[in-house]
Amino acid sequence: MYALVDCNNFYASCERIFQPQYIGKPIAVLSNNDGCIISRSDEAKALGVPMGAPEFKARELLKEKNVKIFSSNYPLYGDFSNRVMQILNQFTPNIEIYSIDEAFLNFDGIEIGDYQQYGIEMKNRVQKWVGIPISAGFAPTKALSKVANKIARKFPEQTQGSYVIDSEEKRIKALKWIKIEDVWGIGRRTYKKAVLRNIKTAYDFIQPQHEDWIRKEMGVIGLRLKYELEGKSVLDLEPASEQKKSIAVTRSFPKQISDYDLLKERVSTFATVCAEKLRKQKSCCHTIIVMLLVDRHKYESRQYYFNAAVTLPFATQSSLTIANESIKILKKICEGNENVRFKKAGVIVTSLIPENTKQFNLFADENPKHFALMKTIDSLNKKIGNRKIKLGNQNMEKTWDMNQNHLSPKYTTDFKQILEIDVDKR
């Protein structure tokens, strides 16, 4: 038996933990640079606040409906995500963290008499220990557990936040209820094509006459989804991958930038963060990519995406090497594009290898002192504060240059912003 556990309106729920005055009130959380709406409370959804809408387009509606706005506070959300996952791990050691607010659980080998009650117990423990509301859906396959979770989330009073698909009758009823666009693995393009074939629900999707079409349009992935919805488990939990295949650090700017020195500072910072992430997962990279984007809605240009890459003759995890190479790439991109105003930049490192498999190059290699230097910098940053020690061409005041006009404190990840209680007003 599988379960899909999902945190309800996760970002909005995190904001309410230390600000309970907003419980029951409409909340919307914005993306980086306060750009788009990426999370809404149920109250905001009921008021018609659109998901993914740019903040400036929804500004009048948000003001009219008195919706509380928050800038995205990813350190806070990441910390609470870790806490929730640790609690779920107490119910089964077989867990796949699917996203920041979702996890698949497998209960093979675990004797459970009442799965719905087990889900309610999970929900109550997470709510009591962390303060995050969750929903749990149980089923014989991962795809069906997604469907069960949607039912638990949609009908909280009837299900108490926990629903089990444990019979053929429940499976058929659930598949007839869920729309095809809400099925896990069905993208926008596939949905449009499915509707043209009169496939409107998950139940329509699994009908035998559509199998050839599924094979043609979606390949093996589509057939696996069909089998999963039919109750045949073909998708196992994905093992946790300690090493990523590539690492990217990209950010939009608060305002468009054409000044080379400002771009240089941003690219250097992004490159340094990439190097930190490489060292954290004990990897080295061979290839470095720098990319720049133009806002096509505000700036007329024949080209909107600029990028270039370099492959080094040696593997590296040094902030100095990666930053210097990124700046060289940036300089090449900017040559002939001096008057172009960019809205976003990023650095990507790829062709990763484990640091213990790095081979040294006799004729071209970086300074061997870099390894010890990076180790010392990481140790000091961990001790005195996140990214306090930087390269000379970086902004010493802040790492991320973003509009965050509605940012809440980092209550659990920064001692300077820990919650304060006024004893005299108890």
Side-chain angles (χ1 to χ4, degrees):
M1 185 68 80
Y2 289 89
L4 188 279
V5 176
D6 180 27
C7 300
N8 303 342
N9 309 323
F10 181 58
Y11 293 171
S13 297
C14 288
E15 296 293 353
R16 283 172 164 166
I17 292 174
F18 292 104
Q19 301 182 80
Q21 67 269 29
Y22 296 115
I23 294 176
K25 303 289 180 63
I27 289 176
V29 180
L30 305 177
S31 62
N32 285 334
N33 282 315
D34 293 346
C36 301
I37 298 170
I38 57 174
S39 181
R40 305 160 297 165
S41 65
D42 289 335
E43 296 79 8
K45 294 176 184 177
L47 294 173
V49 175
M51 182 67 169
E55 185 273 338
F56 72 90
K57 288 187 177 181
R59 190 172 298 161
E60 292 301 321
L61 175 64
L62 296 171
K63 186 176 181 180
E64 177 188 346
K65 301 297 184 180
N66 198 27
V67 179
K68 175 62 180 177
I69 302 299
F70 288 98
S71 300
S72 50
N73 189 342
Y74 293 119
L76 181 70
Y77 307 153
D79 182 57
F80 275 105
S81 174
N82 291 333
R83 294 172 188 236
V84 171
M85 300 308 169
Q86 288 175 11
I87 295 173
L88 296 180
N89 202 46
Q90 297 173 2
F91 290 87
T92 174
N94 306 316
I95 180 171
E96 173 193 337
I97 299 175
Y98 186 65
S99 67
I100 192 172
D101 63 343
E102 288 181 287
F104 284 106
L105 283 65
N106 180 274
F107 299 96
D108 291 349
I110 302 175
E111 189 174 339
I112 300 173
D114 187 337
Y115 280 103
Q116 184 185 17
Q117 189 58 42
Y118 203 62
I120 294 173
E121 185 180 342
M122 282 194 289
K123 176 191 172 190
N124 291 340
R125 186 176 300 182
V126 172
Q127 179 72 56
K128 183 176 181 180
W129 290 12
V130 184
I132 298 291
I134 67 170
S135 300
F138 296 83
T141 72
K142 290 175 73 174
L144 283 174
S145 71
K146 270 273 193 179
V147 177
N149 180 274
K150 288 184 180 294
I151 295 173
R153 181 75 177 90
K154 182 71 174 180
F155 306 102
E157 294 183 1
Q158 297 91 325
T159 65
Q160 299 183 64
S162 176
Y163 186 74
V164 186
I165 297 178
D166 54 1
S167 68
E168 189 67 6
E169 180 183 359
K170 284 186 176 181
R171 183 182 73 85
I172 297 300
K173 186 177 181 180
L175 295 184
K176 288 183 177 179
W177 170 77
I178 192 167
K179 297 177 181 179
I180 187 64
E181 61 264 36
D182 295 330
V183 174
W184 181 44
I186 299 295
R188 183 178 299 178
R189 292 182 180 178
T190 305
Y191 156 66
K192 291 180 178 179
K193 293 178 180 179
V195 170
L196 293 175
R197 291 185 61 87
N198 204 32
I199 301 175
K200 298 180 180 179
T201 66
Y203 185 73
D204 297 333
F205 181 79
I206 66 172
Q207 296 310 300
Q209 65 268 28
H210 299 306
E211 185 162 333
D212 289 340
W213 176 81
I214 294 172
R215 182 182 291 107
K216 180 181 177 181
E217 292 294 332
M218 302 178 66
V220 175
I221 294 176
L223 291 175
R224 287 176 179 171
L225 175 59
K226 179 178 181 292
Y227 298 150
E228 285 266 319
L229 294 174
E230 290 173 340
K232 306 168 188 174
S233 180
V234 295
L235 299 175
D236 296 325
L237 294 184
E238 295 286 340
S241 177
E242 295 184 0
Q243 187 182 78
K244 297 179 180 179
K245 295 181 180 180
S246 64
I247 294 174
V249 177
T250 64
R251 290 292 187 277
S252 297
F253 305 135
K255 58 182 180 180
Q256 297 178 72
I257 297 177
S258 60
D259 184 87
Y260 173 75
D261 289 334
L262 293 177
L263 288 170
K264 178 181 175 181
E265 189 280 325
R266 288 291 81 200
V267 166
S268 178
T269 294
F270 298 164
T272 302
V273 176
C274 279
E276 290 176 6
K277 292 184 177 183
L278 278 173
R279 297 194 295 273
K280 187 174 182 179
Q281 71 168 31
K282 300 184 183 303
S283 298
C284 296
C285 75
H286 273 288
T287 302
I288 303 168
I289 304 169
V290 174
M291 47 84 72
L292 297 170
L293 270 71
V294 172
D295 189 342
R296 65 177 63 198
H297 302 294
K298 296 182 180 179
Y299 187 81
E300 293 186 4
S301 173
R302 294 181 180 179
Q303 186 177 356
Y304 297 103
Y305 182 78
F306 300 77
N307 74 298
V310 63
T311 298
L312 302 174
F314 53 86
T316 182
Q317 57 178 208
S318 167
S319 297
L320 292 169
T321 300
I322 296 175
N324 287 336
E325 293 297 330
S326 298
I327 291 171
K328 291 179 183 178
I329 298 171
L330 173 68
K331 188 174 182 180
K332 291 181 180 179
I333 295 175
C334 290
E335 288 178 356
N337 297 303
E338 290 81 4
N339 297 322
V340 177
R341 293 172 291 172
F342 299 101
K343 74 162 185 177
K344 186 176 183 179
V347 175
I348 305 167
V349 292
T350 186
S351 301
L352 307 189
I353 62 170
E355 65 178 12
N356 58 4
T357 64
K358 175 182 177 179
Q359 294 184 353
F360 292 93
N361 191 307
L362 180 62
F363 302 103
D365 210 335
E366 67 185 357
N367 191 324
K369 294 181 179 180
H370 282 204
F371 181 79
L373 177 60
M374 294 303 110
K375 190 174 181 179
T376 301
I377 289 175
D378 290 341
S379 176
L380 289 172
N381 278 334
K382 185 177 181 180
K383 185 179 296 185
I384 65 177
N386 192 26
R387 302 191 177 107
K388 292 294 185 184
I389 299 178
K390 299 182 179 183
L391 303 183
N393 58 7
Q394 291 181 251
N395 186 325
M396 306 306 291
E397 299 298 325
K398 56 185 177 181
T399 301
W400 310 119
D401 184 18
M402 296 186 293
N403 286 327
Q404 292 181 306
N405 298 320
H406 313 279
L407 185 64
S408 56
K410 301 179 181 67
Y411 296 104
T412 62
T413 59
D414 188 340
F415 273 108
K416 294 180 180 179
Q417 300 184 43
I418 198 168
L419 186 68
E420 296 181 2
I421 300 175
D422 192 338
V423 179
D424 295 333
K425 295 182 178 181
R426 287 188 301 172

